[in-house]
Amino acid sequence: MTTIEEAGVRPPAAEQERPGRVVFTAGEIRHRVAELAREVEAHYPAGEPLTVLGLLKGSFIFLSDLVREMRRPLQIEFLVASSYGAAKRSSGSLAIHYDPRTDLAGRHLLLIEDIIDSGTTLSELIPRLREQAPASIEVCALLHKRLVRLDEEPRFVGFSAPAEFLVGYGLDHAGEFRHLPYIASLS
Ligand code: 5GP
Ligand code: MG
């Protein structure tokens, strides 16, 4: 019998760091997401067109849970941008890899972000979306580290987050841990 070590097989990098302390449980998230849905619904006049725009990949679980709590007409779009890669620190520049091919003009746009850290992603993205003349742009972030004062604060925030690197409920480290139903800090 050869062990993994003897065979020279190393676990992938992401497996050397593991989710540690649970910061928000699945139950806490479920409760807060339902509250957020009520806040969002109350903000938008009934009858006006709303597009919920998820920033992939991190927001995919949050968006899925949020929209299923909402009882008003809406459309769902996604946008893929990256400022992080596999590193834990924001690089400070944003590349857009995919954006909605539908007409956003005249529609209320609600951006769904997993977590706000430096705020770079949103401050670079929002002016570009404005060019498409939506009726309004608001941000709904599940987590906000509140590390920096932003020019425009998100209108809807799930939780204030500790200044730690978090994983789970959509958030990854090097592609791992997105599927966890809770949010934990990486140890
Ligand atoms: P910002 O542009 O605000 O610095 O960072 C926003 C993006 O950075 C988030 O959408 C997320 O992809 C990534 N990010 C920031 N903080 C964390 C964190 O604690 N954990 C993970 N997994 N991603 C983070
Ligand atoms: Mg992200």
Side-chain angles (χ1 to χ4, degrees):
M1 256 320 238
T2 324
T3 66
I4 287 176
E5 285 73 23
E6 284 162 358
V9 179
R10 291 250 152 70
E15 288 183 15
Q16 290 162 15
E17 290 178 282
R18 296 182 183 285
R21 182 175 64 90
V22 173
V23 179
F24 300 107
T25 65
E28 287 169 333
I29 296 168
R30 196 178 317 116
H31 182 81
R32 184 67 189 118
V33 169
E35 285 180 344
L36 273 177
R38 301 289 83 77
E39 292 175 29
V40 169
E41 282 174 337
H43 176 72
Y44 291 103
E48 294 189 16
L50 173 65
T51 295
V52 176
L53 178 62
L55 274 52
L56 291 179
K57 300 174 192 169
S59 73
F60 82 107
I61 294 180
F62 174 40
L63 181 145
S64 306
D65 285 347
L66 184 73
V67 293
R68 283 180 292 176
E69 292 285 344
M70 288 176 55
R71 298 160 203 142
R72 57 120 52 228
L74 57 86
Q75 295 184 2
I76 298 170
E77 293 289 345
F78 291 101
L79 185 146
V80 184
S82 64
S83 63
Y84 252 60
K88 281 199 238 171
R89 221 167 261 283
S90 184
S91 67
S93 76
L94 186 79
I96 295 181
H97 310 289
Y98 172 84
D99 60 3
R101 305 291 145 88
T102 55
D103 190 7
L104 301 176
R107 302 188 63 86
H108 293 289
L109 206 51
L110 181 64
L111 305 191
I112 308 296
E113 176 68 304
D114 50 2
I115 184 165
I116 297 177
D117 185 337
S118 70
T120 311
T121 307
L122 290 172
S123 65
E124 293 191 21
L125 186 60
I126 289 172
R128 293 200 222 174
L129 289 169
R130 281 226 172 85
E131 291 170 11
Q132 299 186 50
S136 69
I137 301 182
E138 299 291 356
V139 173
C140 177
L142 178 66
L143 300 161
H144 191 346
K145 289 188 177 172
R146 304 192 193 282
L147 297 177
V148 290
R149 190 94 203 115
L150 305 178
D151 290 343
E152 278 175 280
E153 287 292 336
R155 182 171 293 271
F156 309 100
V157 174
F159 302 101
S160 291
E164 296 169 50
F165 194 81
L166 303 177
V167 295
Y169 199 72
L171 294 161
D172 75 310
H173 174 51
E176 303 286 334
F177 312 128
R178 289 193 199 276
H179 62 105
L180 302 177
Y182 52 86
I183 293 167
S185 65
L186 200 67
S187 58

